[in-house]
Amino acid sequence: MTLEAFLEEWNNASETVLVHTSGSTGEPKPMWVEKRRMLASARRTNDFLGLKKDDTALLCMSLDYIAGKMMVVRAIERGLRLITVEPSGHPLAVAQDVTFAAMVPLQMYNSLQVAEERERLMQIRHLIIGGGAIDDSLANSLKDFPNAVWSTYGMTETLSHIALRRLNGQDASEWYTPFPSVKVCLNDDGCLVIDAPEVCATTLVTNDIAELHPDGTFRVKGRKDNVICSGGIKIQTEEVERQLRPHLYEPYLITKRQDDKFGEVVVLLTEGLIEEVRQVCECILPKYHQPRVYLHVDRIPLTETGKPARKKGLAIANPEF
């Protein structure tokens, strides 16, 4: 979608806008969301960051998804000057001062590799990162940035983020703090339940397995549908990936396969050499986390927004189903 097309949709007589989910756990799904709730979400973020009229905002993500649409709505709500660039892995090729930007981890990583882009990144006064996990290496690269850098938690259903955690400075934390109007709790499965009436008409039960502090801060351990039950042991896919992240340099993905003996077993898809990856896994991972199946692929499946395409990975690991 182009900016002109979205603005035409935003300014029409309808009270709703069409958005699509990211497709990280399946096919992207269409959703109609209320413009007034999008404005409420935009106002909350703008207020939290202290953005003011004529500040510059960088739109560097696709307008097919909520993250891109919400950058435009934030600009509309606060009178920000919107700088638009084609969505790419190097959004800071633009030589303009940017007050506020939202990026995915891949864009951050790529920008950090180019000295000129890294310098521009450091000059952004308000920087939020969403749409994927932030590994320890990326977090360490940002810890000395002079301006605030935030990781966001949210989804299409919550019209972008409902909680943030600081990645740098004295307030850096692994725990997300919800906005004041947002309440969270855990259900019997340990999944996060979100009550955010400003942006979501109903209470939202997520598939995110989380830890919750009494003060309402939380951290996400992984998705319920990414649990591998192997021989009676529950293994969180994202936890295995996190353990491997500092040691594997070729793209990889953890998934599972049905097994007669264990019920399910851990499967690792890799673009690297299987024997090298196997050696790393056997040295790094606890025995019950180690993959029982290694598969080489030309490309790890990703969604259009750069997240692991879990459903496609599962299909690769289980070609008979």
Side-chain angles (χ1 to χ4, degrees):
M1 171 177 275
T2 65
L3 178 59
E4 290 75 15
F6 175 68
L7 289 175
E8 182 177 347
E9 184 180 15
W10 181 261
N11 290 317
N12 68 23
S14 173
E15 296 181 351
T16 59
V17 167
L18 180 65
V19 301
H20 290 82
T21 60
S22 65
S24 57
T25 58
E27 293 300 318
K29 297 177 182 178
M31 288 178 52
W32 290 97
V33 299
E34 295 176 88
K35 294 175 182 176
R36 68 179 182 88
R37 293 188 185 276
M38 295 175 74
L39 279 170
S41 173
R43 186 177 304 111
R44 189 169 57 188
T45 297
N46 289 338
D47 288 347
F48 178 85
L49 297 177
L51 297 172
K52 59 185 185 298
K53 187 177 185 298
D54 291 330
D55 281 344
T56 52
L58 178 65
L59 173 62
C60 60
M61 291 184 287
S62 172
L63 281 165
D64 291 332
Y65 299 98
I66 192 65
K69 285 179 168 63
M70 284 307 305
M71 283 300 292
V72 180
V73 179
R74 291 171 192 135
I76 292 170
E77 191 279 333
R78 194 54 45 107
L80 308 177
R81 291 190 293 116
L82 198 63
I83 300 170
T84 61
V85 297
E86 193 72 21
S88 75
H90 289 274
L92 292 178
V94 56
Q96 298 188 50
D97 291 334
V98 176
T99 308
F100 170 46
M103 299 185 190
V104 298
L106 179 62
Q107 291 175 319
M108 292 291 300
Y109 175 82
N110 288 343
S111 298
L112 287 167
Q113 310 313 306
V114 181
E116 187 176 6
E117 293 178 23
R118 186 179 191 278
E119 184 61 30
R120 289 175 185 160
L121 197 63
M122 294 181 70
Q123 298 308 310
I124 297 173
R125 294 212 306 274
H126 307 283
L127 182 58
I128 62 176
I129 309 171
I134 297 174
D135 61 35
D136 293 342
S137 175
L138 178 56
N140 287 334
S141 299
L142 302 171
K143 65 180 182 180
D144 295 325
F145 268 43
N147 299 311
V149 185
W150 304 87
S151 170
T152 67
Y153 176 84
M155 57 205 69
T156 306
E157 292 85 349
T158 60
L159 308 182
S160 192
H161 50 268
I162 52 90
L164 299 100
R165 67 181 179 95
R166 185 75 178 262
L167 294 174
N168 66 330
Q170 294 183 342
D171 295 327
S173 174
E174 293 183 358
W175 297 79
Y176 287 97
T177 299
F179 286 122
S181 60
V182 176
K183 306 298 180 186
V184 295
C185 63
L186 301 181
N187 66 9
D188 292 341
D189 292 326
C191 291
L192 196 69
V193 179
I194 301 170
D195 181 18
E198 286 185 338
V199 296
C200 192
T202 60
T203 299
L204 181 65
V205 180
T206 75
N207 282 324
D208 290 328
I209 296 175
E211 289 182 69
L212 184 63
H213 272 164
D215 63 2
T217 60
F218 66 91
R219 61 180 176 182
V220 177
K221 300 168 69 175
R223 289 185 65 84
K224 178 184 175 182
D225 40 8
N226 293 339
V227 172
I228 303 170
C229 296
S230 186
I233 297 174
K234 291 186 177 181
I235 302 165
Q236 190 68 50
T237 293
E238 294 90 343
E239 174 63 16
V240 180
E241 291 175 343
R242 186 192 65 78
Q243 291 172 306
L244 291 173
R245 200 164 284 130
H247 307 283
L248 293 182
Y249 304 104
E250 296 291 341
Y252 66 94
L253 180 116
I254 295 294
T255 183
K256 60 188 177 183
R257 174 181 287 182
Q258 298 296 313
D259 182 83
D260 291 339
K261 180 178 179 180
F262 295 98
E264 295 174 337
V265 294
V266 179
V267 177
L268 185 144
L269 309 183
T270 178
E271 293 180 18
L273 297 175
I274 285 179
E275 283 310 312
E276 292 182 1
V277 172
R278 188 194 306 273
Q279 290 177 16
V280 170
C281 290
E282 291 176 350
C283 289
I284 298 302
L285 297 175
K287 188 172 182 179
Y288 55 88
H289 278 186
Q290 291 177 16
R292 290 183 173 269
V293 180
Y294 295 83
L295 296 174
H296 177 83
V297 294
D298 292 332
R299 289 288 183 270
I300 294 297
L302 299 174
T303 69
E304 289 186 16
T305 55
K307 297 180 182 180
R310 300 282 181 191
K311 192 172 182 179
K312 291 181 180 178
L314 187 64
I316 293 171
N318 297 269
E320 65 276 18
F321 291 101

